[in-house]
Amino acid sequence: MARMGDEIVGALKTVYDPEIPADLYELGLIYKVIIDDDRLVNIDMTLTSPNCPSAAELPGQVKNAVAGVSGVRDAKVTIVWNPPWDPSRMSDEARTELNMW
């Protein structure tokens, strides 16, 4: 399971916001990843804004990336708005990439 968790994070890091040159994981848009006993992965994520123009595409991209990980039976992505996203959720890697220090 630990290996699968690492590979899921790696898969999440392949999905980028098309308007921001950083991946969704490092941006802090992925709030929760739960792997159940049947290897179904449940992901809670948010967007930078409720008006995000990529709102229709990003959850599907996250689902496809995670479902492609070896051992994952399927993935379910839920968009959540609480807590609201803000730049403090970004990793140091994303801050460096975006020059936001």
Side-chain angles (χ1 to χ4, degrees):
M1 283 293 204
R3 177 203 52 81
M4 188 185 311
D6 291 343
E7 289 181 15
I8 288 169
V9 169
L12 290 168
K13 288 183 171 195
T14 68
V15 183
Y16 282 74
D17 184 310
E19 296 181 336
I20 305 171
D23 67 77
L24 301 185
Y25 188 84
E26 297 299 336
L27 283 172
L29 296 174
I30 305 298
Y31 284 0
K32 185 174 14 174
V33 177
I34 297 174
I35 307 168
D36 73 13
D37 292 338
D38 293 331
R39 298 186 185 243
L40 172 66
V41 180
N42 291 285
I43 301 162
D44 285 354
M45 67 172 284
T46 195
L47 302 169
T48 55
S49 161
N51 299 320
C52 176
S54 299
E57 296 90 26
L58 288 175
Q61 290 175 7
V62 168
K63 175 184 172 35
N64 291 339
V66 172
V69 171
S70 177
V72 171
R73 182 173 57 86
D74 199 4
K76 178 184 173 200
V77 178
T78 304
I79 298 289
V80 297
W81 299 109
N82 195 13
W85 180 86
D86 67 68
S88 69
R89 299 188 67 88
M90 293 190 310
S91 70
D92 289 346
E93 182 178 318
R95 290 178 190 284
T96 301
E97 182 70 30
L98 299 173
N99 197 24
M100 292 183 70
W101 289 103

